[in-house]
């Protein structure tokens, strides 16, 4: 089978097209014939070595397709099931072997492309808005990079929970996309001081939570956007990692809470994965959450997909089609 492998960390040229034996599922595992693979920022972090999986590795963390073989003891799925999964390394390939408990059934009416486009970022939006800081009706929250893959979904889930959502984006086109997703206010943080704007939009009160996936360039000012005892949810680092900080700052700025959550810890067992995935798919089928696919690339065009993601031009999701 064809797969995209990384043997050393680096630029786009470390993404190698290889032919590997089709993997066989072991005990508790199933093999998925992949129909669509999601491209995520974590794939870039792994390629460049910001996160360091053991080398060599097959890129990718998210896919949808059809179960075509199962190992011993598998009860969760059967051959022929339409499934999707996330948080398992190796989805930039034609086939992947996955722990069966991680596979979620894709309901009728949702395509593999939609499932692969929504799962990782949608589950993330779900846990951030429903669990990390469980948004209450009437809360005002700030979502950075509101037109990104994660951002567009997080805006929608935050609105479902009754929030007033302030989004930040870099361009007018992205501002339109964030508004379409339901953002009440959008700040062009490349042109405006987002801290001053948030203060203005909240009459100086600040927001209940900031969801900051941008990191280095937004973190310090994000702390200043929070109201007393607000939640700073640092959920990514698209602009680079946040440098070490003195915890005393959290006291000085209003007894703030700071957390750096990750999806794997919020999809820790099958019940949790299924509950979040089922919510997402139901919202999609009911038209309450829309998934926006920016572009699809053939597996062989993987470097173009990474280049596009890093270019900051993406609105919504990128997919690879094996
Ligand atoms: N913690 C978790 O569980 C979890 C799960 C999923 C994703 N994430 C994180 O969430 C972030 C977003 O992931 P995604 O895959 O959905 O990507 P994305 O949001 O579609 O793309 C990243 C966005 O970040 C903004 N950005 C700001 N400064 C940037 C810079 N210097 N370079 C590139 N982008 C910059 C851009 O939006 P503007 O142009 O509007 O600024 C860009 O569109 C990533 O950091 C990812 O690791 C975390």
């Amino acid at each position: 089978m064809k797969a995209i492998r990384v043997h050393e960390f680096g630029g786009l040229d470390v993404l190698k097209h290889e032919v590997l034996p089709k993997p066989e599922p072991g005990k508790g595992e199933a093999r998925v014939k992949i129909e669509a693979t999601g491209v995520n920022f974590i794939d870039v972090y792994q390629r460049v070595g910001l996160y360091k999986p053991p080398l060599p590795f097959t890129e990718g963390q998210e896919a949808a397709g059809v179960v075509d073989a199962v190992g011993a003891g598998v009860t969760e799925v059967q051959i022929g099931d339409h499934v999707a999964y996330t948080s398992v390394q190796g989805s930039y390939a034609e086939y992947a072997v996955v722990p069966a408990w991680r596979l979620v059934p894709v309901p009728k009416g949702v395509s593999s492309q939609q499932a692969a486009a929504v799962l990782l970022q949608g589950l993330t939006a779900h846990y951030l808005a429903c669990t990390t800081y469980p948004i209450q009706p009437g809360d005002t929250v700030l979502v950075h990079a509101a037109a990104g893959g994660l951002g567009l979904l997080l805006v929608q889930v935050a609105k479902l929970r009754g929030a007033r959502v302030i989004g930040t984006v870099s361009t007018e086109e992205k501002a339109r996309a964030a508004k379409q997703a339901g953002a009440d206010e959008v700040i062009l943080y490349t042109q405006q001081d987002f801290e001053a704007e948030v203060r203005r939009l909240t009459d100086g009160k600040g927001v209940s939570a900031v969801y900051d996936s941008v990191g280095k360039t937004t973190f310090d000012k994000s702390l200043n956007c929070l109201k007393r005892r607000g939640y700073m949810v640092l959920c990514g680092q698209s602009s680079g990692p946040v440098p070490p900080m003195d915890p005393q700052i959290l006291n000085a700025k209003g007894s703030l809470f700071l957390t750096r959550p990750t999806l794997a810890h919020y999809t820790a067992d099958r019940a949790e994965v299924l509950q979040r995935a089922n919510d997402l798919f139901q919202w999609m089928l009911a038209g309450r959450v829309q998934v926006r696919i920016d572009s699809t690339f053939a597996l062989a065009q993987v470097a173009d997909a990474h280049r596009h993601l890093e270019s900051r031009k993406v609105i919504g999701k990128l997919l690879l089609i094996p």
Side-chain angles (χ1 to χ4, degrees), residues 32-40 43 59-67 81-88 90-96 98 103-104 106 110-120 281 291 293 295-299 317-322:
V32 179
K33 183 176 188 318
I34 293 175
E35 294 178 338
T37 289
V39 178
N40 294 286
D43 309 342
E59 267 276 29
Q61 300 270 330
E62 172 183 46
V66 176
V67 174
D81 284 359
H82 188 199
V83 293
Y85 70 89
T86 180
S87 307
V88 179
S91 63
Y92 286 17
E94 290 179 298
Y95 293 87
V98 178
L103 294 170
V104 300
V106 177
V110 176
S111 68
S112 283
Q113 292 207 6
Q114 288 171 313
V118 80
L119 204 64
L120 191 151
F281 287 137
V291 181
I293 297 173
S295 356
T296 58
F297 295 84
L299 193 61
K317 185 72 180 184
L318 293 184
L319 293 175
L320 293 174
I321 308 299

Side-chain angles (χ1 to χ4, degrees), residues 197-232:
E197 277 301 291
V198 168
R199 287 276 153 207
R200 184 181 69 77
L201 291 166
T202 59
D203 298 325
K205 293 192 189 83
V207 298
S208 301
V210 179
Y211 297 103
D212 188 346
S213 67
V214 173
K216 188 174 170 185
T217 57
T218 46
F219 182 81
D220 289 344
K221 284 194 171 195
S222 293
L223 292 176
N224 298 336
C225 293
L226 285 162
K227 67 181 191 188
R228 203 160 45 227
R229 305 199 308 245
Y231 277 70
M232 177 65 197

Side-chain angles (χ1 to χ4, degrees), residues 128-142:
L128 291 173
C130 306
T131 311
T132 306
Y133 175 75
I135 294 173
Q136 302 301 318
D139 280 341
T140 301
V141 300
L142 176 63

Side-chain angles (χ1 to χ4, degrees), residues 286-319:
R288 302 179 77 195
V289 165
Q290 319 277 344
V291 181
R292 177 164 173 160
I293 297 173
D294 176 285
S295 356
T296 58
F297 295 84
L299 193 61
Q301 294 174 293
V302 61
D304 295 332
H306 273 218
R307 190 181 293 109
H308 193 37
L309 187 60
E310 290 177 277
S311 76
R312 213 172 159 170
K313 294 201 182 98
V314 176
I315 300 182
K317 185 72 180 184
L318 293 184
L319 293 175

